[in-house]
Amino acid sequence: DVVMTQSPLSLPVTLGQPASISCRSSQSLVYSDGNTYLTWFQQRPGQSPRRLIYMLSNRDSGVPERFSGSGSGTDFTLKISRVEAEDVAIYYCMQATRWPLTFGQGTKLEIK
Amino acid sequence: EVQLVESGGDSVQPGGSLRLSCVASGFSFSTYWMTWVRQAPGKGLEWVATIKSDGSDKYYLDSVKGRFTISRDNAKNSLYLQMNSLRVDDTAIFYCVRGGGWALDHWGQGTLVTVSS
């Protein structure tokens, strides 16, 4: 199975400052079609997860532009350009290149 | 608006069975793969099972193979998860999710399954 490792697991950030979450996979996530099936989810307290980014860097409809996804191969990053109060949540990366689908442990973003 | 409403969660003893249901609305259910994802209390997300749009292919987490069965009824816009031989470590919120693989784009509110003696 592909192991997804996120860091840090806890991320205190000052409002208005940038934030960055790393996600590393134990195998390359480049599929035979050339796409990289790396997804980012946000789970706010008490809510269901919400997809933010799919296929490495595609932002979902309604997701603020301050969220961006990047990376390649086995090394990926979710960046928030300027953190807002509503961004307090746990963020998960997930790979869908190989079965079984696997998630990272989650990174808890809090306001400092 | 896409809506996914799960039901069927309950408290059961180890070795027991439950059937979860998910009713979908707001999209053409029969054209989408569907997935179950679970989350143990205070823990992270874990993929459980996925079914193709026509039900012809199914994928399972190794630890649930032979115990859980994913199925669907496209005429009723419904997804199911039959869970047998439940274990304490199956305790979790189970989410119904639209899509399979990278396309897990809409999540239900979840239904809680508690396995305890």
Side-chain angles (χ1 to χ4, degrees):
Chain A
D1 296 1
V2 179
V3 177
M4 305 297 288
T5 304
Q6 289 183 229
S7 63
L9 299 185
S10 179
L11 182 57
V13 183
T14 301
L15 285 173
Q17 293 301 301
S20 181
I21 298 171
S22 171
C23 175
R24 291 195 166 128
S25 58
S26 60
Q27 303 173 41
S28 172
L29 297 188
V30 180
Y31 190 57
S32 54
D33 62 6
N35 291 316
T36 298
Y37 292 106
L38 189 283
T39 303
W40 289 97
F41 297 94
Q42 175 194 63
Q43 188 174 30
R44 290 174 172 146
Q47 294 187 14
S48 301
R50 165 200 183 194
R51 194 179 71 178
L52 295 177
I53 304 283
Y54 62 94
M55 288 173 63
L56 186 63
S57 58
N58 295 276
R59 203 181 307 113
D60 268 276
S61 173
V63 174
E65 290 185 7
R66 63 180 182 276
F67 288 93
S68 64
S70 64
S72 64
T74 62
D75 204 345
F76 311 98
T77 303
L78 176 70
K79 291 182 179 174
I80 308 173
S81 58
R82 289 175 303 280
V83 169
E84 298 188 6
E86 65 177 18
D87 300 336
V88 168
I90 300 176
Y91 294 84
Y92 296 93
C93 61
M94 184 203 79
Q95 70 80 24
T97 296
R98 294 177 176 77
W99 297 101
L101 309 183
T102 48
F103 291 87
Q105 318 97 299
T107 294
K108 187 173 185 178
L109 186 149
E110 60 182 26
I111 304 301
K112 199 186 292 183
Chain B
E1 179 195 2
V2 173
Q3 285 204 326
L4 299 166
V5 180
E6 304 95 334
S7 61
D10 204 346
S11 182
V12 296
Q13 292 190 336
S17 297
L18 275 179
R19 188 195 197 205
L20 305 183
S21 299
C22 169
V23 177
S25 60
F27 65 100
S28 180
F29 179 76
S30 64
T31 66
Y32 281 84
W33 292 39
M34 295 295 295
T35 293
W36 288 100
V37 174
R38 68 185 178 183
Q39 185 169 35
K43 301 297 184 183
L45 302 171
E46 182 175 51
W47 169 77
V48 174
T50 294
I51 186 169
K52 274 182 84 168
S53 53
D54 62 1
S56 60
D57 279 320
K58 303 172 185 182
Y59 305 82
Y60 295 97
L61 180 67
D62 278 352
S63 64
V64 308
K65 274 181 191 172
R67 301 189 300 124
F68 291 9
T69 301
I70 189 172
S71 63
R72 65 191 297 159
D73 184 336
N74 285 344
K76 295 183 178 178
N77 288 346
S78 293
L79 175 72
Y80 306 102
L81 187 67
Q82 176 66 44
M83 303 187 296
N84 299 329
S85 303
L86 281 162
R87 305 171 182 166
V88 171
D89 63 358
D90 291 320
T91 295
I93 296 172
F94 282 73
Y95 295 100
C96 169
V97 189
R98 188 178 80 166
W102 62 270
L104 301 185
D105 62 356
H106 283 87
W107 297 57
Q109 85 288 349
T111 187
L112 177 62
V113 172
T114 303
V115 185
S116 172
S117 54

